[in-house]
Amino acid sequence: QQQVKQSPQSLIVQKGGISIINCAYENTAFDYFPWYQQFPGKGPALLIAIRPDVSEKKEGRFTISFNKSAKQFSLHIMDSQPGDSATYFCAAIPQHSSNTGKLIFGQGTTLQVKP
Amino acid sequence: NAGVMQNPRHLVRRRGQEARLRCSPMKGHSHVYWYRQLPEEGLKFMVYLQKENIIDESGMPKERFSAEFPKEGPSILRIQQVVRGDSAAYFCASSPPNRVGETQYFGPGTRLLVL
């Protein structure tokens, strides 16, 4: 069964701190790893994504770290702000679904950044 | 350029009734995905459609659920004889033809409540 496991389920960080969310996958090969941000009552929005041939990707305050051998990837939010408070989902597209884009999502992490 | 539109935003049905959820993709997008989000869970892939074709329905329940994306008009997710377990948020996403899958833009979702 294709699975992406995400932790922690919830996270509280002080303003200016670093938020770290981890994901791990098993049992299958994936070739695309996006992260989505979802605010209450809204649909998920693509935040940043990485391919397995790259170990790190940075966009502004958001960084993805990817460890192919460990089958793990993580999102780091530097200088976290109250406006970053949202639910974050990691996701992956299986190699055999790369031409269709079937996203396998993690369970989500609810981030609260305290002022 | 309007984003992905879904309607209704909220839908209340009694057990045994039918639910019809509509999704209008972004302009120029010919690929539509449907995902279901149960409370406190991540999104689960249901179906991937192109105009007039179902490409991947591996996430669709075997009974009561159907989807279509006609040549003209929105994509429809239809749930017949709804049960309480169908209560969830249903999200539609669309992709442009030249970036299938990896670039999925999500709509705001339809919250279905079955009484």
mmCIF file of all heavy atoms in Angstrom, chain B residues 79-114:
data_model
loop_
_atom_site.group_PDB
_atom_site.id
_atom_site.type_symbol
_atom_site.label_atom_id
_atom_site.label_comp_id
_atom_site.label_asym_id
_atom_site.label_seq_id
_atom_site.Cartn_x
_atom_site.Cartn_y
_atom_site.Cartn_z
ATOM 1 N N ILE B 79 -22.668 11.392 -5.947
ATOM 2 C CA ILE B 79 -22.745 10.368 -4.897
ATOM 3 C C ILE B 79 -24.216 10.003 -4.724
ATOM 4 O O ILE B 79 -25.046 10.833 -4.347
ATOM 5 C CB ILE B 79 -22.184 10.871 -3.543
ATOM 6 C CG1 ILE B 79 -20.811 11.521 -3.732
ATOM 7 C CG2 ILE B 79 -22.084 9.715 -2.562
ATOM 8 C CD1 ILE B 79 -20.279 12.211 -2.491
ATOM 9 N N GLN B 80 -24.521 8.754 -5.034
ATOM 10 C CA GLN B 80 -25.902 8.299 -4.904
ATOM 11 C C GLN B 80 -26.122 7.682 -3.532
ATOM 12 O O GLN B 80 -25.206 7.114 -2.928
ATOM 13 C CB GLN B 80 -26.205 7.254 -5.984
ATOM 14 C CG GLN B 80 -26.160 7.816 -7.388
ATOM 15 C CD GLN B 80 -26.415 6.747 -8.434
ATOM 16 O OE1 GLN B 80 -25.570 5.879 -8.651
ATOM 17 N NE2 GLN B 80 -27.557 6.797 -9.085
ATOM 18 N N GLN B 81 -27.358 7.803 -3.052
ATOM 19 C CA GLN B 81 -27.756 7.167 -1.784
ATOM 20 C C GLN B 81 -26.729 7.432 -0.690
ATOM 21 O O GLN B 81 -26.150 6.506 -0.121
ATOM 22 C CB GLN B 81 -27.960 5.666 -1.997
ATOM 23 C CG GLN B 81 -29.033 5.350 -3.025
ATOM 24 C CD GLN B 81 -29.155 3.853 -3.312
ATOM 25 O OE1 GLN B 81 -28.277 3.073 -2.961
ATOM 26 N NE2 GLN B 81 -30.249 3.466 -3.930
ATOM 27 N N VAL B 82 -26.520 8.694 -0.393
ATOM 28 C CA VAL B 82 -25.461 9.077 0.548
ATOM 29 C C VAL B 82 -25.692 8.458 1.917
ATOM 30 O O VAL B 82 -26.834 8.244 2.353
ATOM 31 C CB VAL B 82 -25.337 10.614 0.673
ATOM 32 C CG1 VAL B 82 -24.910 11.235 -0.645
ATOM 33 C CG2 VAL B 82 -26.636 11.232 1.192
ATOM 34 N N VAL B 83 -24.568 8.181 2.592
ATOM 35 C CA VAL B 83 -24.577 7.678 3.961
ATOM 36 C C VAL B 83 -23.751 8.637 4.816
ATOM 37 O O VAL B 83 -23.018 9.478 4.284
ATOM 38 C CB VAL B 83 -23.995 6.247 4.047
ATOM 39 C CG1 VAL B 83 -24.800 5.303 3.191
ATOM 40 C CG2 VAL B 83 -22.529 6.230 3.605
ATOM 41 N N ARG B 84 -23.871 8.515 6.136
ATOM 42 C CA ARG B 84 -23.189 9.462 7.025
ATOM 43 C C ARG B 84 -21.676 9.441 6.813
ATOM 44 O O ARG B 84 -21.014 10.472 6.940
ATOM 45 C CB ARG B 84 -23.527 9.148 8.472
ATOM 46 C CG ARG B 84 -24.952 9.510 8.833
ATOM 47 C CD ARG B 84 -25.112 9.777 10.307
ATOM 48 N NE ARG B 84 -26.461 10.277 10.587
ATOM 49 C CZ ARG B 84 -27.281 9.747 11.470
ATOM 50 N NH1 ARG B 84 -26.917 8.695 12.176
ATOM 51 N NH2 ARG B 84 -28.488 10.270 11.665
ATOM 52 N N GLY B 85 -21.144 8.295 6.458
ATOM 53 C CA GLY B 85 -19.700 8.193 6.228
ATOM 54 C C GLY B 85 -19.208 8.969 5.021
ATOM 55 O O GLY B 85 -18.001 9.124 4.838
ATOM 56 N N ASP B 86 -20.138 9.452 4.190
ATOM 57 C CA ASP B 86 -19.743 10.269 3.037
ATOM 58 C C ASP B 86 -19.491 11.713 3.441
ATOM 59 O O ASP B 86 -18.992 12.507 2.634
ATOM 60 C CB ASP B 86 -20.838 10.245 1.960
ATOM 61 C CG ASP B 86 -21.075 8.854 1.395
ATOM 62 O OD1 ASP B 86 -20.120 8.038 1.395
ATOM 63 O OD2 ASP B 86 -22.204 8.579 0.942
ATOM 64 N N SER B 87 -19.831 12.082 4.665
ATOM 65 C CA SER B 87 -19.605 13.451 5.133
ATOM 66 C C SER B 87 -18.112 13.738 5.107
ATOM 67 O O SER B 87 -17.316 13.046 5.751
ATOM 68 C CB SER B 87 -20.145 13.627 6.558
ATOM 69 O OG SER B 87 -21.548 13.478 6.606
ATOM 70 N N ALA B 88 -17.739 14.755 4.357
ATOM 71 C CA ALA B 88 -16.331 15.078 4.167
ATOM 72 C C ALA B 88 -16.235 16.357 3.349
ATOM 73 O O ALA B 88 -17.250 16.889 2.884
ATOM 74 C CB ALA B 88 -15.611 13.946 3.434
ATOM 75 N N ALA B 89 -15.006 16.821 3.178
ATOM 76 C CA ALA B 89 -14.759 17.913 2.233
ATOM 77 C C ALA B 89 -14.242 17.293 0.938
ATOM 78 O O ALA B 89 -13.345 16.443 0.967
ATOM 79 C CB ALA B 89 -13.741 18.889 2.797
ATOM 80 N N TYR B 90 -14.818 17.696 -0.156
ATOM 81 C CA TYR B 90 -14.420 17.168 -1.464
ATOM 82 C C TYR B 90 -13.750 18.294 -2.247
ATOM 83 O O TYR B 90 -14.338 19.349 -2.471
ATOM 84 C CB TYR B 90 -15.645 16.631 -2.211
ATOM 85 C CG TYR B 90 -16.218 15.387 -1.553
ATOM 86 C CD1 TYR B 90 -17.090 15.496 -0.478
ATOM 87 C CD2 TYR B 90 -15.872 14.119 -1.990
ATOM 88 C CE1 TYR B 90 -17.602 14.365 0.150
ATOM 89 C CE2 TYR B 90 -16.377 12.983 -1.378
ATOM 90 C CZ TYR B 90 -17.232 13.124 -0.298
ATOM 91 O OH TYR B 90 -17.734 11.997 0.316
ATOM 92 N N PHE B 91 -12.520 18.034 -2.628
ATOM 93 C CA PHE B 91 -11.742 19.046 -3.341
ATOM 94 C C PHE B 91 -11.507 18.620 -4.781
ATOM 95 O O PHE B 91 -11.229 17.462 -5.073
ATOM 96 C CB PHE B 91 -10.386 19.267 -2.667
ATOM 97 C CG PHE B 91 -10.486 19.953 -1.333
ATOM 98 C CD1 PHE B 91 -10.517 19.209 -0.165
ATOM 99 C CD2 PHE B 91 -10.540 21.335 -1.252
ATOM 100 C CE1 PHE B 91 -10.612 19.834 1.078
ATOM 101 C CE2 PHE B 91 -10.635 21.969 -0.014
ATOM 102 C CZ PHE B 91 -10.676 21.212 1.144
ATOM 103 N N CYS B 92 -11.588 19.596 -5.634
ATOM 104 C CA CYS B 92 -11.272 19.417 -7.032
ATOM 105 C C CYS B 92 -9.972 20.171 -7.310
ATOM 106 O O CYS B 92 -9.711 21.220 -6.709
ATOM 107 C CB CYS B 92 -12.420 19.975 -7.861
ATOM 108 S SG CYS B 92 -12.075 20.261 -9.584
ATOM 109 N N ALA B 93 -9.151 19.627 -8.192
ATOM 110 C CA ALA B 93 -7.936 20.307 -8.625
ATOM 111 C C ALA B 93 -7.843 20.207 -10.137
ATOM 112 O O ALA B 93 -8.398 19.283 -10.745
ATOM 113 C CB ALA B 93 -6.703 19.687 -7.970
ATOM 114 N N SER B 94 -7.163 21.157 -10.745
ATOM 115 C CA SER B 94 -6.977 21.091 -12.193
ATOM 116 C C SER B 94 -5.529 21.346 -12.558
ATOM 117 O O SER B 94 -4.777 21.971 -11.791
ATOM 118 C CB SER B 94 -7.897 22.081 -12.909
ATOM 119 O OG SER B 94 -7.485 23.424 -12.708
ATOM 120 N N SER B 95 -5.139 20.814 -13.716
ATOM 121 C CA SER B 95 -3.780 20.992 -14.235
ATOM 122 C C SER B 95 -3.839 21.450 -15.682
ATOM 123 O O SER B 95 -4.752 21.049 -16.419
ATOM 124 C CB SER B 95 -3.005 19.666 -14.199
ATOM 125 O OG SER B 95 -2.557 19.344 -12.931
ATOM 126 N N PRO B 96 -2.854 22.246 -16.090
ATOM 127 C CA PRO B 96 -2.794 22.619 -17.501
ATOM 128 C C PRO B 96 -2.293 21.440 -18.322
ATOM 129 O O PRO B 96 -1.602 20.561 -17.781
ATOM 130 C CB PRO B 96 -1.780 23.773 -17.515
ATOM 131 C CG PRO B 96 -0.930 23.528 -16.311
ATOM 132 C CD PRO B 96 -1.804 22.883 -15.290
ATOM 133 N N PRO B 97 -2.566 21.398 -19.615
ATOM 134 C CA PRO B 97 -2.189 20.244 -20.432
ATOM 135 C C PRO B 97 -0.690 20.024 -20.556
ATOM 136 O O PRO B 97 -0.246 18.903 -20.757
ATOM 137 C CB PRO B 97 -2.830 20.550 -21.799
ATOM 138 C CG PRO B 97 -3.120 22.004 -21.794
ATOM 139 C CD PRO B 97 -3.343 22.383 -20.377
ATOM 140 N N ASN B 98 0.111 21.080 -20.391
ATOM 141 C CA ASN B 98 1.546 20.917 -20.550
ATOM 142 C C ASN B 98 2.268 20.623 -19.241
ATOM 143 O O ASN B 98 3.479 20.426 -19.222
ATOM 144 C CB ASN B 98 2.139 22.179 -21.189
ATOM 145 C CG ASN B 98 1.884 23.412 -20.343
ATOM 146 O OD1 ASN B 98 0.965 23.435 -19.530
ATOM 147 N ND2 ASN B 98 2.687 24.439 -20.545
ATOM 148 N N ARG B 99 1.538 20.590 -18.135
ATOM 149 C CA ARG B 99 2.166 20.310 -16.830
ATOM 150 C C ARG B 99 1.245 19.420 -16.018
ATOM 151 O O ARG B 99 0.882 19.722 -14.890
ATOM 152 C CB ARG B 99 2.466 21.608 -16.073
ATOM 153 C CG ARG B 99 3.456 22.502 -16.786
ATOM 154 C CD ARG B 99 3.851 23.690 -15.950
ATOM 155 N NE ARG B 99 4.627 23.292 -14.778
ATOM 156 C CZ ARG B 99 5.043 24.123 -13.849
ATOM 157 N NH1 ARG B 99 4.742 25.396 -13.935
ATOM 158 N NH2 ARG B 99 5.743 23.698 -12.812
ATOM 159 N N VAL B 100 0.891 18.310 -16.624
ATOM 160 C CA VAL B 100 -0.093 17.427 -16.001
ATOM 161 C C VAL B 100 0.430 16.909 -14.678
ATOM 162 O O VAL B 100 1.565 16.471 -14.569
ATOM 163 C CB VAL B 100 -0.413 16.240 -16.934
ATOM 164 C CG1 VAL B 100 -1.307 15.223 -16.231
ATOM 165 C CG2 VAL B 100 -1.086 16.752 -18.193
ATOM 166 N N GLY B 101 -0.421 16.971 -13.669
ATOM 167 C CA GLY B 101 -0.141 16.299 -12.414
ATOM 168 C C GLY B 101 0.652 17.101 -11.412
ATOM 169 O O GLY B 101 0.204 17.336 -10.292
ATOM 170 N N GLU B 102 1.856 17.509 -11.791
ATOM 171 C CA GLU B 102 2.717 18.145 -10.801
ATOM 172 C C GLU B 102 2.174 19.491 -10.378
ATOM 173 O O GLU B 102 2.353 19.913 -9.241
ATOM 174 C CB GLU B 102 4.129 18.286 -11.358
ATOM 175 C CG GLU B 102 4.816 16.960 -11.581
ATOM 176 C CD GLU B 102 6.232 17.130 -12.062
ATOM 177 O OE1 GLU B 102 6.656 18.268 -12.271
ATOM 178 O OE2 GLU B 102 6.916 16.100 -12.229
ATOM 179 N N THR B 103 1.530 20.180 -11.274
ATOM 180 C CA THR B 103 0.992 21.500 -10.950
ATOM 181 C C THR B 103 -0.516 21.383 -10.846
ATOM 182 O O THR B 103 -1.222 21.500 -11.848
ATOM 183 C CB THR B 103 1.387 22.518 -12.032
ATOM 184 O OG1 THR B 103 2.781 22.465 -12.240
ATOM 185 C CG2 THR B 103 0.984 23.915 -11.605
ATOM 186 N N GLN B 104 -0.982 21.111 -9.659
ATOM 187 C CA GLN B 104 -2.413 20.979 -9.417
ATOM 188 C C GLN B 104 -2.896 22.161 -8.593
ATOM 189 O O GLN B 104 -2.389 22.418 -7.499
ATOM 190 C CB GLN B 104 -2.717 19.662 -8.689
ATOM 191 C CG GLN B 104 -2.396 18.428 -9.520
ATOM 192 C CD GLN B 104 -2.805 17.129 -8.857
ATOM 193 O OE1 GLN B 104 -3.791 17.071 -8.129
ATOM 194 N NE2 GLN B 104 -2.057 16.080 -9.120
ATOM 195 N N TYR B 105 -3.871 22.855 -9.136
ATOM 196 C CA TYR B 105 -4.463 23.996 -8.454
ATOM 197 C C TYR B 105 -5.792 23.543 -7.848
ATOM 198 O O TYR B 105 -6.659 23.059 -8.571
ATOM 199 C CB TYR B 105 -4.686 25.147 -9.434
ATOM 200 C CG TYR B 105 -3.423 25.678 -10.038
ATOM 201 C CD1 TYR B 105 -2.881 25.116 -11.197
ATOM 202 C CD2 TYR B 105 -2.754 26.748 -9.458
ATOM 203 C CE1 TYR B 105 -1.709 25.590 -11.752
ATOM 204 C CE2 TYR B 105 -1.581 27.244 -10.017
ATOM 205 C CZ TYR B 105 -1.068 26.662 -11.163
ATOM 206 O OH TYR B 105 0.086 27.131 -11.700
ATOM 207 N N PHE B 106 -5.919 23.743 -6.548
ATOM 208 C CA PHE B 106 -7.099 23.251 -5.853
ATOM 209 C C PHE B 106 -8.180 24.316 -5.737
ATOM 210 O O PHE B 106 -7.899 25.511 -5.564
ATOM 211 C CB PHE B 106 -6.718 22.772 -4.445
ATOM 212 C CG PHE B 106 -6.068 21.415 -4.442
ATOM 213 C CD1 PHE B 106 -4.725 21.268 -4.745
ATOM 214 C CD2 PHE B 106 -6.809 20.280 -4.141
ATOM 215 C CE1 PHE B 106 -4.130 20.011 -4.751
ATOM 216 C CE2 PHE B 106 -6.214 19.021 -4.140
ATOM 217 C CZ PHE B 106 -4.878 18.892 -4.447
ATOM 218 N N GLY B 107 -9.416 23.858 -5.782
ATOM 219 C CA GLY B 107 -10.546 24.711 -5.494
ATOM 220 C C GLY B 107 -10.773 24.808 -4.001
ATOM 221 O O GLY B 107 -10.079 24.156 -3.211
ATOM 222 N N PRO B 108 -11.776 25.591 -3.585
ATOM 223 C CA PRO B 108 -12.038 25.802 -2.162
ATOM 224 C C PRO B 108 -12.741 24.630 -1.496
ATOM 225 O O PRO B 108 -12.854 24.590 -0.273
ATOM 226 C CB PRO B 108 -12.919 27.049 -2.147
ATOM 227 C CG PRO B 108 -13.627 27.011 -3.463
ATOM 228 C CD PRO B 108 -12.646 26.426 -4.432
ATOM 229 N N GLY B 109 -13.229 23.676 -2.296
ATOM 230 C CA GLY B 109 -13.862 22.502 -1.722
ATOM 231 C C GLY B 109 -15.360 22.633 -1.536
ATOM 232 O O GLY B 109 -15.919 23.742 -1.481
ATOM 233 N N THR B 110 -16.006 21.473 -1.469
ATOM 234 C CA THR B 110 -17.421 21.376 -1.100
ATOM 235 C C THR B 110 -17.493 20.559 0.179
ATOM 236 O O THR B 110 -17.001 19.424 0.225
ATOM 237 C CB THR B 110 -18.250 20.683 -2.193
ATOM 238 O OG1 THR B 110 -18.281 21.495 -3.359
ATOM 239 C CG2 THR B 110 -19.680 20.446 -1.701
ATOM 240 N N ARG B 111 -18.087 21.161 1.223
ATOM 241 C CA ARG B 111 -18.268 20.452 2.487
ATOM 242 C C ARG B 111 -19.620 19.769 2.463
ATOM 243 O O ARG B 111 -20.653 20.446 2.439
ATOM 244 C CB ARG B 111 -18.188 21.393 3.690
ATOM 245 C CG ARG B 111 -16.765 21.612 4.193
ATOM 246 C CD ARG B 111 -16.039 22.645 3.407
ATOM 247 N NE ARG B 111 -14.664 22.852 3.847
ATOM 248 C CZ ARG B 111 -13.735 23.420 3.093
ATOM 249 N NH1 ARG B 111 -14.038 23.844 1.874
ATOM 250 N NH2 ARG B 111 -12.512 23.577 3.570
ATOM 251 N N LEU B 112 -19.592 18.445 2.439
ATOM 252 C CA LEU B 112 -20.824 17.664 2.404
ATOM 253 C C LEU B 112 -21.132 17.151 3.807
ATOM 254 O O LEU B 112 -20.277 16.546 4.452
ATOM 255 C CB LEU B 112 -20.685 16.480 1.440
ATOM 256 C CG LEU B 112 -21.831 15.453 1.454
ATOM 257 C CD1 LEU B 112 -23.119 16.091 0.967
ATOM 258 C CD2 LEU B 112 -21.469 14.239 0.607
ATOM 259 N N LEU B 113 -22.345 17.406 4.241
ATOM 260 C CA LEU B 113 -22.807 16.901 5.533
ATOM 261 C C LEU B 113 -24.032 16.031 5.289
ATOM 262 O O LEU B 113 -25.007 16.485 4.688
ATOM 263 C CB LEU B 113 -23.159 18.048 6.479
ATOM 264 C CG LEU B 113 -23.760 17.633 7.830
ATOM 265 C CD1 LEU B 113 -22.770 16.810 8.631
ATOM 266 C CD2 LEU B 113 -24.212 18.852 8.627
ATOM 267 N N VAL B 114 -23.943 14.791 5.723
ATOM 268 C CA VAL B 114 -25.062 13.860 5.575
ATOM 269 C C VAL B 114 -25.718 13.663 6.938
ATOM 270 O O VAL B 114 -25.066 13.231 7.893
ATOM 271 C CB VAL B 114 -24.587 12.517 4.998
ATOM 272 C CG1 VAL B 114 -25.772 11.556 4.860
ATOM 273 C CG2 VAL B 114 -23.914 12.721 3.648
#
